[in-house]
Amino acid sequence: MILIKNALVSLVFIMLVNTAVAQFHISGFVKDQTTEELLIGANVIEAGTMNGTSADNYGYFSIVTKGNDIQVSFIGYKSTIIHIFSDTLVHVSLESGELLEEISVKGESTKRFNISTLSHKEILSIPSIGGKPDVLKALQLLPGIQSQQEGSSLLNVRGGNPGENLYLIDNIPLIYVNHLGGFSSVFNPDMINNIELYKGGFPAKYGGKLSSVVAISQLEGNKSGLKGSLGIGITDASFSLEGPLLKKKASFILTGRKTLTEPLFLLATKLTESKYFMYYGFHDLNGKFSWHPNDKNSVYFNIYQGDDYLKLWNSDRKMSQEEYSTSNSWGNWMAATRWNRVLTPRLFVDNTFSYTRYRLKNGYSFSSDQASDTINSENRYESSVQDISLRSDWKYKFLKYWSIDFGAKATQFIHIPNKIYQSNHKGQQAYEVIKSLESDFYVDNQIIFLNLIEANVGVRMVNYHSGKFNCFSLEPRLLINAKVSNNHDLNFTVQRVGQYAHLVFTSGGIMNNEVWIPADEKIAPAKSFQYSIGWKGEFWNDYVQAEANFYYKELNQLSTFKEGYSNLMGDGDWRTKIETGGSGKAKGAELLIRKSKGNWTGFVGYTLSKSTRKYPGINKGKEYLFDYDRPHSLSISLNRKINERWTFNASWVYQTGLGYTPVVGRQLTPVVSSSVLYTEEFIYGERNSARMKDYHRLDIGFTLNTLTSKGRKSKWNFSIYNAYNRHNPSTTYYGYSKDGFLQYNPENYQALNQYQISYFPIIPTVSYKVFFEAGTVAKANRKLGIKQRIKNYFSYE
């Protein structure tokens, strides 16, 4: 203990000595000179030294320097040098320029590990279904992140399930993030500035989810003038509008999407002479207002609303004199206001008040007007969760080599897991409204020693209260980065995280059944412990970057549906359908090689992993492979700028097939109250002890940038999903034939066969987007002759 105490005293003394000779403390924001959008990740260094930092998700930086010159740079922008002579707050505007060589920032003393980052440009470059970029599908290409099933946007991060990911929009939680059971994500790429996905080594400010943090920073809106876009594809149409307000001290951005699939579904069911009509659709509305009354203060207001709606009803209403329908709808509301302020060059604060609501509704109605029988009945099921949060996050530059982040958050959750209405019941079943309070306080220390070692030492303190249940937990976080040379870094992380609400669901169906249930005295909070080690390196003047990570994760007190259940509908005692006390293990190795410069850019990612689960009442209490365990996962993404008009993108994905529970035999079971009739039942083997065929798929896309006849920029996107038409299995089933026929016939014994279901063949798609902007460029182009207009359509010259 004496040795450790002396070492800590020596460390603080060295930092104080180094700080004593520092001259200036500079903080500020880095923005685009034209649009005034924040440049997240911009590099800020003291000229001629290794002392540097980068702009955070607020575009904010803080640095202590000995010299007077500060160099600021960002890829795709012209670097600039600012001169300072005292402690000050600065606003740095960078001019967009050619893709110049990025300035070597040795001052960014360490590279960030366990984080996957995508810029707005990278998201737009990855081909996807419908010709429209999808944020979460783009993230699935990165190591350690896997899809749940074919076509799904749901994320499984390092052996976790989709309910263990924390999604934040400008630091505001969003509870449900997918459309149509995961087919598409709710994030509109027109709103996104930057994405960071933490797979481990969470900063202490983040908690409440076990597996990952997806932090999305939204654009603020263009302050140079009014602009927008209109887009249309096979599956949906979209718009965006942004511009300045209040004499350019404020700005707004508004985006929206709406599916075009409803009439297609109705037409398809009619043409196939189905007994049912069906339609499905969704919409998203996303808005942000930003106001900067002065250099030190910023105020924001965010809003999001999105819904999915699915309905089926019988097509023979007139003939049968019966009407029955089934409906399923789900979605989010989110509204928040934020205020951040630079109190001093050393101290920055961001305060947020937010409201988020997710709800799931199922309905069934039946009516009969037959002469012999008149019936009218209606059943409705609803589940919802509300999140009302107040948080305050602070950044303090204590010493030159010591920064402190700290803050607190209080969240009121209101859960309704199981609300049922049945019209033919005189007395309606009482439903439970569960209120819980989660209070957090965190502190995170970032200490840099000799520009070689960076240590992030933090702790998150959580108190959770629900009814008679109360628990307090400490969640320590440790991250150590060591620079072994100018181009190579090593990393070690340890973290403990708790989750106080469980997501229970079953996948594979078109109907949404995701329900959030809170922890209480019967359903314990889930916990995870994870550590990782990693290496990052740069080669050939930073043309190629590589990284490798190894991780191990333990999960405890997991909850899921008991075997035989897929929803909470039915009786009011929903807790009897929940299997608790589960545990899990996940381990793996990740490799990423990225080329970020030159005519060809892209990356190759590979993951070797294993994930298991164990529940007392599932698989006879024995450990089994996790439902979404994929030992091998390989992804390749390529981008090529052919010329000023055309770009080419391609991605190829390979994954080991998902596990399933095989049928190992059959048995005859007597029908109740009969000594002659028998039914044939399956005998199943170990859970997930067999695997489907391996999954692989090639997607390609071309983008054509043009000018319309009126001089407006426009973009065509041509994509092919599953280019070589691979029939990837989504699920398997058993039967005597492909129609699944299984009726037992003692006089005609038939062999049992296994079949697979594949949903997504080769899908060619096209989308078009046109951009408009208030100004003189479009007006000038209207005066051009027809020959020049045609030339502009195929060239920017």
Side-chain angles (χ1 to χ4, degrees):
M1 287 297 295
I2 296 177
L3 182 61
I4 296 175
K5 181 178 178 181
N6 290 337
L8 290 173
V9 171
S10 300
L11 177 61
V12 173
F13 176 75
I14 291 173
M15 289 189 293
L16 288 171
V17 170
N18 285 327
T19 304
V21 297
Q23 295 180 357
F24 310 116
H25 192 114
I26 303 96
S27 62
F29 299 87
V30 185
K31 301 181 179 181
D32 182 287
Q33 187 179 79
T34 303
T35 65
E36 297 192 31
E37 286 290 353
L38 300 175
L39 298 181
I40 298 170
N43 299 310
V44 182
I45 64 171
E46 181 182 355
T49 73
M50 297 178 64
N51 179 32
T53 186
S54 59
D56 63 13
N57 286 346
Y58 308 108
Y60 175 79
F61 69 89
S62 180
I63 186 173
V64 176
T65 71
K66 299 177 183 178
N68 301 96
D69 296 335
I70 302 298
Q71 191 172 32
V72 185
S73 67
F74 193 63
I75 296 179
Y77 288 79
K78 297 178 181 178
S79 63
T80 187
I81 294 180
I82 59 174
H83 307 283
I84 47 93
F85 302 95
S86 63
D87 290 3
T88 186
L89 172 70
V90 297
H91 285 256
V92 183
S93 297
L94 296 184
E95 180 184 355
S96 180
E98 297 297 323
L99 274 178
L100 307 175
E101 287 289 324
E102 184 186 8
I103 294 174
S104 180
V105 185
K106 303 304 181 184
E108 196 175 357
S109 59
T110 53
K111 301 172 179 64
R112 299 195 299 170
F113 289 77
N114 292 289
I115 301 178
S116 299
T117 303
L118 286 177
S119 66
H120 180 76
K121 183 178 179 181
E122 288 176 307
I123 295 167
L124 297 180
S125 69
I126 296 176
S128 61
I129 300 177
K132 299 290 189 72
D134 188 279
V135 172
L136 299 188
K137 282 189 171 68
L139 290 173
Q140 288 173 355
L141 296 176
L142 299 172
I145 307 169
Q146 297 172 336
S147 64
Q148 190 182 42
Q149 57 187 12
E150 170 80 57
S152 173
S153 289
L154 299 174
L155 300 184
N156 297 91
V157 181
R158 289 185 171 177
N161 70 47
E164 296 168 0
N165 305 316
L166 174 63
Y167 295 95
L168 299 170
I169 298 179
D170 284 345
N171 216 24
I172 305 155
L174 197 62
I175 298 172
Y176 186 77
V177 296
N178 292 285
H179 293 299
L180 190 55
F183 180 79
S184 173
S185 69
V186 303
F187 303 115
N188 192 330
D190 291 334
M191 284 285 291
I192 294 174
N193 187 336
N194 187 70
I195 298 177
E196 292 183 339
L197 187 147
Y198 293 82
K199 298 179 289 185
F202 300 174
K205 68 181 293 185
Y206 296 132
K209 294 292 188 290
L210 301 183
S211 292
S212 77
V213 178
V214 181
I216 297 176
S217 300
Q218 292 187 327
L219 297 168
E220 292 191 0
N222 184 34
K223 288 187 179 179
S224 64
L226 187 67
K227 62 184 295 187
S229 67
L230 294 172
I232 187 168
I234 293 177
T235 56
D236 64 87
S238 62
F239 79 90
S240 68
L241 184 67
E242 58 183 304
L245 295 170
L246 304 177
K247 298 180 180 180
K248 296 188 177 182
K249 285 194 172 184
S251 60
F252 76 95
I253 181 169
L254 179 68
T255 67
R257 292 188 300 176
K258 177 70 181 74
T259 51
L260 306 174
T261 54
E262 291 91 325
L264 295 177
F265 274 107
L266 287 172
L267 180 62
T269 51
K270 185 175 180 62
L271 292 177
T272 56
E273 299 181 356
S274 171
K275 295 181 180 180
Y276 301 94
F277 288 131
M278 183 183 79
Y279 76 78
Y280 165 78
F282 71 77
H283 70 264
D284 289 315
L285 288 173
N286 209 327
K288 182 177 180 179
F289 170 79
S290 307
W291 177 40
H292 305 281
N294 52 47
D295 289 345
K296 293 186 176 182
N297 291 276
S298 299
V299 178
Y300 303 92
F301 180 74
N302 298 68
I303 189 168
Y304 169 82
Q305 199 279 321
D307 261 332
D308 290 63
Y309 17 84
L310 173 68
K311 187 173 182 179
L312 296 92
W313 66 95
N314 63 312
S315 58
D316 60 346
R317 294 186 173 192
K318 292 184 179 180
M319 183 179 298
S320 65
Q321 294 184 313
E322 293 180 345
E323 296 184 9
Y324 49 90
S325 65
T326 300
S327 63
N328 184 217
S329 61
W330 62 96
N332 281 297
W333 269 99
M334 184 271 284
T337 182
R338 292 192 301 126
W339 167 51
N340 62 46
R341 175 178 172 81
V342 181
L343 298 172
T344 72
R346 293 177 180 268
L347 187 61
F348 173 84
V349 61
D350 182 73
N351 302 295
T352 305
F353 176 73
S354 64
Y355 171 81
T356 307
R357 179 178 183 264
Y358 162 72
R359 63 97 178 90
L360 164 68
K361 295 176 69 175
N362 290 322
Y364 174 79
S365 63
F366 174 81
S367 63
S368 174
D369 293 327
Q370 295 179 0
S372 60
D373 191 14
T374 300
I375 300 174
N376 288 283
S377 67
E378 181 183 6
N379 295 335
R380 293 195 302 269
Y381 167 79
E382 182 176 346
S383 175
S384 66
V385 56
Q386 300 176 66
D387 177 317
I388 306 168
S389 296
L390 177 64
R391 67 179 301 152
S392 184
D393 300 295
W394 298 70
K395 292 175 174 288
Y396 181 57
K397 192 71 172 181
F398 181 50
L399 299 173
K400 181 177 180 179
Y401 298 105
W402 190 350
S403 301
I404 303 174
D405 291 356
F406 61 95
K409 184 183 78 165
T411 303
Q412 171 83 69
F413 292 102
I414 303 174
H415 288 84
I416 303 178
N418 188 40
K419 181 180 179 180
I420 301 172
Y421 169 80
Q422 296 173 305
S423 62
N424 54 359
H425 285 201
K426 292 183 179 180
Q428 294 303 318
Q429 190 176 94
Y431 62 91
E432 192 175 7
V433 179
I434 306 171
K435 296 183 178 180
S436 57
L437 178 64
E438 182 180 328
S439 303
D440 313 323
F441 174 78
Y442 73 89
V443 60
D444 215 344
N445 297 273
Q446 179 184 340
I447 302 171
I448 300 174
F449 182 62
L450 299 178
N451 281 323
L452 296 175
I453 297 176
E454 176 185 325
N456 284 69
V457 184
V459 64
R460 183 178 182 86
M461 291 164 278
V462 183
N463 187 77
Y464 175 81
H465 177 78
S466 178
K468 297 180 181 180
F469 179 73
N470 190 84
C471 71
F472 175 82
S473 64
L474 290 175
E475 300 177 2
R477 314 287 171 83
L478 174 65
L479 181 150
I480 298 176
N481 294 340
K483 181 177 287 295
V484 295
S485 71
N486 287 339
N487 297 320
H488 298 274
D489 295 69
L490 297 176
N491 168 271
F492 174 74
T493 69
V494 178
Q495 68 172 35
R496 187 178 296 277
V497 186
Q499 181 167 330
Y500 300 88
H502 302 270
L503 177 65
V504 292
F505 71 103
T506 55
S507 63
I510 192 171
M511 306 290 277
N512 183 289
N513 65 348
E514 300 194 2
V515 176
W516 287 93
I517 56 175
D520 57 20
E521 59 270 15
K522 294 183 179 180
I523 303 174
K527 303 288 183 180
S528 76
F529 171 81
Q530 180 181 185
Y531 66 82
S532 68
I533 56 175
W535 158 83
K536 276 192 176 185
E538 298 171 354
F539 303 90
W540 299 294
N541 197 26
D542 200 25
Y543 265 74
V544 175
Q545 305 91 39
E547 65 176 279
N549 290 285
F550 304 87
Y551 67 88
Y552 176 80
K553 179 162 63 175
E554 292 182 352
L555 304 103
N556 294 288
Q557 300 300 335
L558 302 178
S559 296
T560 187
F561 283 120
K562 286 186 175 181
E563 288 190 322
Y565 291 101
S566 60
N567 58 64
L568 299 184
M569 290 184 284
D571 59 78
D573 193 7
W574 56 269
R575 288 179 177 82
T576 60
K577 301 178 180 180
I578 303 299
E579 182 74 30
T580 62
S583 61
K585 295 178 181 178
K587 56 186 177 181
E590 303 164 354
L591 176 65
L592 177 67
I593 302 173
R594 185 192 296 265
K595 184 177 183 292
S596 56
K597 298 178 182 180
N599 292 329
W600 288 93
T601 59
F603 61 83
V604 177
Y606 172 73
T607 305
L608 173 65
S609 62
K610 182 180 180 180
S611 180
T612 61
R613 293 292 187 272
K614 184 179 181 181
Y615 287 89
I618 297 178
N619 199 44
K620 300 178 181 179
K622 295 185 292 185
E623 186 179 68
Y624 60 90
L625 290 175
F626 182 42
D627 294 347
Y628 308 109
D629 174 69
R630 297 183 186 267
H632 300 280
S633 180
L634 174 67
S635 60
I636 302 173
S637 178
L638 294 175
N639 304 287
R640 175 72 160 91
K641 185 176 181 180
I642 301 172
N643 53 41
E644 291 301 314
R645 294 179 290 121
W646 287 94
T647 57
F648 167 75
N649 317 105
S651 62
W652 184 76
V653 177
Y654 167 85
Q655 294 179 339
T656 306
L658 288 173
Y660 69 93
T661 305
V663 171
V664 296
R666 294 178 284 176
Q667 65 182 9
L668 296 180
T669 302
V671 176
V672 178
S673 71
S674 174
S675 59
V676 179
L677 298 178
Y678 291 84
T679 60
E680 190 173 54
E681 295 183 350
F682 293 150
I683 301 173
Y684 289 95
E686 293 286 329
R687 184 173 177 125
N688 296 337
S689 58
R691 288 195 179 275
M692 303 181 203
K693 292 193 301 184
D694 290 350
Y695 178 97
H696 50 87
R697 187 191 80 241
L698 172 68
D699 304 331
I700 59 175
F702 289 89
T703 300
L704 171 63
N705 295 289
T706 69
L707 292 176
T708 68
S709 60
K710 295 184 178 181
R712 297 189 176 99
K713 292 182 179 181
S714 62
K715 179 186 296 184
W716 286 92
N717 182 277
F718 307 93
S719 298
I720 301 178
Y721 181 89
N722 194 7
Y724 52 80
N725 198 29
R726 164 74 173 179
H727 289 221
N728 288 302
S730 179
T731 187
T732 64
Y733 66 95
Y734 292 87
Y736 300 140
S737 61
K738 284 188 176 181
D739 61 8
F741 184 74
L742 278 174
Q743 185 170 346
Y744 172 65
N745 184 349
E747 298 179 358
N748 182 22
Y749 177 83
Q750 293 177 275
L752 192 64
N753 299 309
Q754 183 181 9
Y755 303 95
Q756 73 173 40
I757 297 176
S758 301
Y759 290 124
F760 298 96
I762 181 173
I763 304 176
T765 58
V766 60
S767 65
Y768 176 73
K769 178 178 284 189
V770 60
F771 303 87
F772 58 87
E773 184 172 356
T776 59
V777 176
K779 293 179 181 178
N781 276 277
R782 293 189 189 113
K783 299 178 181 179
L784 297 175
I786 185 66
K787 290 184 178 180
Q788 186 62 42
R789 290 186 182 186
I790 294 173
K791 184 179 180 181
N792 283 349
Y793 189 83
F794 294 101
S795 173
Y796 279 125
E797 295 178 3

